[in-house]
Amino acid sequence: RIEAKRAEIGSEAFATEYLNNPVDEVTAPFKRKDKGGTPYYHLYVEDDLIIPGSKPPKPRLLYNFATIDPAWSGSKKAHWAAMQVVGVDEWGHLWIRDMFREHCSELDLAEAVLGFHARWGILVGGIETVFNQRGFKQTIEEMMVKRGRSFELRDLKATVGTKDMRIRSGLIPIWENRILHIPANHKHTPALLDEMVERLAHRGPDGRGIWVDSEAGFGLVHTRLAIIDLSPAGHQPMIS
């Protein structure tokens, strides 16, 4: 029966709901803490971008770059379009400045790219150009010409090793050297919370709710089979 349940809901949902430990900390490539219990990640606020001890206070000089993973579809089951802006300071630290993750059209994604450029002054953007994504780079470049904007777009192609090798040789050292800084107050997008609650739909398809504390950077989703208290008073998450 256990294997039947795994086949029914999928391995990811099964590990999360029934094993309660979907990622083993011992074997996880990205560990939350070092052996002394200190977290590898750093959640920052804007005041952290002031150079310590500088008088008068002097902000860090950041060179902003963007990575773009194109995908376009209105279906909730389709791949997500994703984009991230990272600022690099003079000490080589990486500061995540903004993120985008949505189901959207090709035009909406292109508008989001140009919006990020206008807001953050992106110097160089790296864009994945495989399969039907090849024409997207040209679409952005044509829109930049029409609007009098310009920044360099480079193709991102995996040419060396496997994905696991690239993660272990490129990303894990950045993580473990604590040079990656994540914004503490980044808003949870409704689309991300919708995806989370969709994975629990089989547990109760006719009662769901979402609650977000944007200042704390925290969100809750809930779904249930509405049997007891069918009125709005039974709606969750509940605030007390």
Side-chain angles (χ1 to χ4, degrees):
R1 288 190 299 175
I2 291 177
E3 289 304 317
K5 177 59 70 173
R6 184 193 297 270
E8 176 188 347
I9 67 175
S11 295
E12 183 178 354
F14 180 84
T16 302
E17 296 178 30
Y18 290 89
L19 300 182
N20 201 29
N21 188 21
V23 179
D24 184 358
E25 184 70 11
V26 176
T27 59
F30 294 92
K31 294 177 171 54
R32 296 176 183 272
K33 301 177 181 180
D34 61 20
K35 293 181 179 179
T38 303
Y40 281 116
Y41 58 88
H42 170 229
L43 299 179
Y44 78 90
V45 295
E46 288 300 305
D47 285 348
D48 292 332
L49 290 171
I50 301 298
I51 298 176
S54 59
K55 295 182 179 180
K58 180 181 178 182
R60 297 172 187 265
L61 178 62
L62 298 180
Y63 299 92
N64 291 326
F65 302 87
T67 55
I68 308 159
D69 185 5
W72 33 84
S73 174
S75 171
K76 289 187 176 182
K77 295 184 179 180
H79 291 294
W80 296 82
M83 179 168 48
Q84 185 168 264
V85 177
V86 178
V88 183
D89 67 20
E90 58 188 299
W91 296 278
H93 283 233
L94 308 179
W95 303 79
I96 296 178
R97 304 300 284 146
D98 212 339
M99 292 177 277
F100 175 94
R101 183 175 180 270
E102 300 287 349
H103 287 129
C104 60
S105 68
E106 180 178 1
L107 181 59
D108 288 339
L109 180 57
E111 291 287 359
V113 172
L114 294 180
F116 270 28
H117 173 251
R119 180 178 182 184
W120 298 107
I122 297 169
L123 297 175
V124 179
I127 181 170
E128 185 177 30
T129 51
V130 295
F131 304 114
N132 65 331
Q133 302 167 330
R134 293 188 179 96
F136 183 62
K137 177 183 175 184
Q138 183 177 351
T139 298
I140 298 176
E141 290 172 338
E142 291 173 352
M143 292 176 67
M144 285 195 292
V145 171
K146 292 179 180 178
R147 301 185 186 187
R149 296 181 182 176
S150 178
F151 69 98
E152 183 181 356
L153 280 175
R154 297 181 184 176
D155 294 347
L156 294 180
K157 297 181 180 179
T159 58
V160 179
T162 64
K163 179 180 288 188
D164 184 68
M165 289 174 59
R166 293 192 294 273
I167 288 173
R168 293 185 181 278
S169 63
L171 296 180
I172 292 180
I174 292 174
W175 179 257
E176 294 185 348
N177 283 313
R178 296 185 172 89
I179 61 175
L180 179 65
H181 307 273
I182 304 169
N185 60 350
H186 184 72
K187 295 181 179 179
H188 293 258
T189 65
L192 177 58
L193 295 175
D194 281 341
E195 183 189 16
M196 293 169 62
V197 77
E198 278 292 333
R199 292 180 179 271
L200 295 172
H202 61 281
R203 298 290 297 274
D206 58 354
R208 63 167 57 187
I210 294 175
W211 177 84
V212 177
D213 185 336
S214 298
E215 292 185 2
F218 181 76
L220 289 175
V221 297
H222 179 269
T223 184
R224 69 175 182 137
L225 182 61
I227 298 176
I228 300 174
D229 194 351
L230 305 183
S231 73
H235 185 71
Q236 298 183 54
M238 295 180 177
I239 301 176
S240 61

